[in-house]
Amino acid sequence: MEHTPNSFANENYAPHAMQEHMEDTVHTTMKSAVHSPMEDSMKLADIKTGDVDVVVGHMMSLSDPDNPQNWPLHRKIYVSAVSFAFAFVVAFGATIYTAGISDVIISFDVSSTTAILGLSLYLFGIAGAPVITPHLSEAFGRSTVYLICLPIFSLFILGAGLSQTFASLAICRFFAGLTGGPCLVLIEGTFADVWSADVTNTYYAVLSMASFVGTGAGPLIGGFVFASTGWRWTQWVTLMLTLAVFLFGIGIPETYPRQVLKRKHKKLSLPPPNLMPAGSGTTLRGMFQITVLTPLSMLLTEPVVMLCTLYLGFNFAVIFSFFISIPAVLQGVYGFSIQQVGLAFIAAIAGSILATTTSILIDRLTVTTFLKKSPNGTIVLESRLYPAMAGGFGITISLFWIGWTASPTIRWPSPVFGTLLYVWGNQSVLSSLIPYLFDAYPPTGTLSALTAAASTRLALAAFLPLVILQMFTNLTGAWALSLFGFLAAAMMPIPWVLYKWGAQLRMRSKHGHERMGLPQMGGSTEARAMGERGSSA
């Protein structure tokens, strides 16, 4: 069949029929596939290929009451709230440290750049989480990973607070990020397990708040904690919050469909289900290929991945540099106390809430509009880019705004409002490009693409804070932020370019549906159930 730009691969997706369509999709792609119901009445799709029976383990039947998408609303809300809280506390732990950096400098007799390593190494640790989390999730299930990683995270936070040397502090902060990072990765898969595909942008806007509000709350609370007790208490507060979150989430049920099936069979004393091979790889070589080598390859060869990663990486680098530069500006220009600096980050939290609201409104309006106009109930995949199109203007304008209004002659609310605008734009871009990426490829391509995007943006976010003070010193704050503004302006067309030519780029991709001989179906339904996604951190 010859495919036009409007009919190929995942140009369109049908949100209300995605899950039903997926079972038909798998059957049509596998040679000599034959559907027959299982004898144990579990009503799972069964496929016979040659002499091997395989169950579509990542896609549970819509009629199965154990399918997380069939759970009662209160149970879905609890699971979502737990995953939100786990991600929030890890994000909170990253930035509360920044409130006590001046005390770290004095306590360990280190330079400001060295002290900032406590933030950067934490982020470098999180950057490793997208590589390892899919394999942990596949082996043990999401609930187990949540309930093991967070206590280990708390032990390294405890070690950081007890550190008597900066080397010890730095090591503990790195491993706190590495062991807490899976909570930031798993939230995406957890939300995808329990909420349907037609609200992908909506739920992503909500789960993005866990990272943005968590990082904004860090210096807000940390400013008051540090002023009263010193830097070590920034770690103790994180530890106490982690304990509260763990107790809240200790009853989290398993949502990963493959693990749900395995546990159901075990509970019913049935033989283990015959599942399709895990999309994250079944051997060490395969795992390494999918979450290390292929992501690196896609960063160099896939225009869609390159453009999305570039934009997201720049945005994350700038926003995490704000946790170093904004206190320096507000204290140096306006004479703010550390508590007042913390209060200024309320603007960042407000920006996150605003971004969530506008992204949901745009998503609901576009879905409704496209469904009404579509004769076959499909929606153009590139419609997910609308929030990023709007958010790009906020990012560019806000950087120039902050840079040129942070002056003794202009009152402090102006640059603080600029941070609200920046966070709004940043989160709008994130909650648009990531859902677009995980529908742009089949499941294994999705995993590799999102791993590339997540690890790269976190690595860049870890690097820029280390040099931001030198940039402000050598270029002045106005010109340093103007430089970022010019770069943001250059990247602002990226979602527009993808909207115009993204479909053609995906059609030509060697990782796309066309080249892999797969049917015309977006990757989200499979990848949603697999939960093998990038971090929202």
Side-chain angles (χ1 to χ4, degrees):
M1 176 181 174
E2 192 101 6
H3 294 290
T4 65
N6 288 326
S7 66
F8 70 86
N10 37 355
E11 166 80 11
N12 302 322
Y13 63 97
H16 297 294
M18 270 182 114
Q19 203 158 11
E20 298 96 324
H21 184 97
M22 191 60 230
E23 293 184 8
D24 295 335
T25 292
V26 178
H27 290 109
T28 58
T29 46
M30 303 191 66
K31 295 181 180 179
S32 305
V34 178
H35 175 72
S36 61
M38 289 185 66
E39 294 180 358
D40 62 11
S41 75
M42 293 180 67
K43 299 181 181 178
L44 300 175
D46 183 64
I47 298 172
K48 184 178 289 294
T49 308
D51 296 324
V52 181
D53 291 328
V54 289
V55 175
V56 186
H58 58 265
M59 183 53 55
M60 298 182 70
S61 169
L62 287 173
S63 61
D64 190 338
D66 289 324
N67 184 337
Q69 295 199 12
N70 292 331
W71 287 352
L73 180 61
H74 67 85
R75 198 177 190 200
K76 290 185 177 184
I77 292 175
Y78 171 71
V79 168
S80 301
V82 169
S83 61
F84 187 100
F86 275 52
F88 173 94
V89 75
V90 175
F92 176 87
T95 56
I96 190 174
Y97 170 84
T98 61
I101 281 180
S102 60
D103 197 24
V104 170
I105 294 172
I106 296 171
S107 298
F108 297 109
D109 191 25
V110 295
S111 67
S112 59
T113 301
T114 301
I116 293 169
L117 278 171
L119 168 65
S120 293
L121 288 173
Y122 190 101
L123 296 175
F124 276 124
I126 296 176
V131 176
I132 63 174
T133 304
H135 312 304
L136 295 175
S137 182
E138 178 62 40
F140 307 109
R142 300 199 209 290
S143 59
T144 302
V145 176
Y146 274 124
L147 296 176
I148 289 179
C149 284
L150 199 68
I152 298 175
F153 163 81
S154 69
L155 292 177
F156 285 111
I157 292 295
L158 175 65
L162 293 173
S163 295
Q164 299 302 310
T165 66
F166 183 79
S168 173
L169 171 62
I171 291 170
C172 286
R173 290 284 295 175
F174 171 79
F175 282 105
L178 182 63
T179 55
C183 297
L184 288 164
V185 176
L186 286 176
I187 183 175
E188 299 178 32
T190 302
F191 270 63
D193 291 338
V194 300
W195 302 107
S196 62
D198 61 324
V199 292
T200 297
N201 270 33
T202 295
Y203 76 65
Y204 204 95
V206 173
L207 68 87
S208 295
M209 279 206 309
S211 301
F212 282 87
V213 175
T215 52
L220 170 61
I221 296 174
F224 289 91
V225 169
F226 166 69
S228 303
T229 56
W231 78 267
R232 294 185 190 275
W233 271 89
T234 62
Q235 305 306 292
W236 304 148
V237 169
T238 304
L239 191 61
M240 289 185 283
L241 182 60
T242 301
L243 176 61
V245 166
F246 180 79
L247 293 175
F248 171 61
I250 201 166
I252 186 173
E254 182 55 53
T255 64
Y256 184 33
R258 291 171 64 91
Q259 280 292 329
V260 171
L261 291 174
K262 290 178 183 179
R263 296 180 187 187
K264 185 173 184 177
H265 274 245
K266 185 176 182 180
K267 182 178 179 180
L268 296 175
S269 300
L270 294 171
N274 296 316
L275 302 175
M276 293 181 69
S280 56
T282 56
T283 64
L284 287 177
R285 181 178 180 180
M287 295 176 186
F288 187 75
Q289 177 70 44
I290 291 171
T291 56
V292 178
L293 297 182
T294 302
L296 291 173
S297 173
M298 295 181 85
L299 279 174
L300 300 174
T301 61
E302 288 291 318
V304 170
V305 176
M306 291 167 62
L307 291 171
C308 290
T309 301
L310 176 65
Y311 204 7
L312 293 171
F314 168 77
N315 290 341
F316 261 55
V318 172
I319 200 168
F320 276 97
S321 74
F322 277 8
F323 293 99
I324 304 300
S325 60
I326 286 179
V329 169
L330 293 179
Q331 290 176 316
V333 176
Y334 298 105
F336 272 30
S337 66
I338 191 65
Q339 297 99 319
Q340 290 173 315
V341 169
L343 289 172
F345 279 94
I346 293 175
I349 296 174
S352 176
I353 295 171
L354 180 62
T356 300
T357 304
T358 56
S359 293
I360 291 173
L361 288 175
I362 292 172
D363 181 50
R364 294 296 86 200
L365 288 172
T366 54
V367 167
T368 302
T369 302
F370 276 101
L371 283 177
K372 286 181 179 178
K373 293 182 178 180
S374 173
N376 58 357
T378 61
I379 301 174
V380 178
L381 178 59
E382 276 67 27
S383 66
R384 289 189 172 168
L385 296 170
Y386 288 129
M389 294 176 179
F393 288 98
I395 291 172
T396 302
I397 293 169
S398 64
L399 289 169
F400 289 107
W401 185 327
I402 298 169
W404 294 99
T405 63
S407 166
T409 61
I410 301 175
R411 292 178 59 81
W412 62 265
S414 182
V416 168
F417 179 79
T419 63
L420 182 154
L421 185 60
Y422 181 82
V423 172
W424 169 77
N426 194 317
Q427 185 177 323
S428 296
V429 170
L430 177 73
S431 59
S432 178
L433 290 187
I434 294 299
Y436 176 72
L437 260 186
F438 65 60
D439 266 341
Y441 299 96
T444 53
T446 294
L447 172 55
S448 297
L450 292 172
T451 299
S455 294
T456 301
R457 71 176 180 264
L458 284 160
L460 291 173
F463 171 74
L464 189 57
L466 294 171
V467 299
I468 190 64
L469 293 181
Q470 291 90 325
M471 290 184 67
F472 270 54
T473 300
N474 296 328
L475 299 177
T476 73
W479 282 108
L481 290 173
S482 292
L483 174 61
F484 294 151
F486 289 125
L487 291 173
M491 297 181 199
M492 193 167 63
I494 286 176
W496 300 81
V497 169
L498 292 175
Y499 186 84
K500 178 69 174 177
W501 292 290
Q504 290 91 328
L505 292 172
R506 290 186 285 108
M507 181 174 63
R508 297 189 184 106
S509 169
K510 69 178 182 180
H511 298 281
H513 294 72
E514 288 272 326
R515 297 293 183 87
M516 298 181 72
L518 296 178
Q520 315 312 312
M521 184 62 195
S524 73
T525 303
E526 298 167 281
R528 282 162 51 82
M530 289 161 60
E532 292 157 347
R533 306 217 176 146
S535 172
S536 65

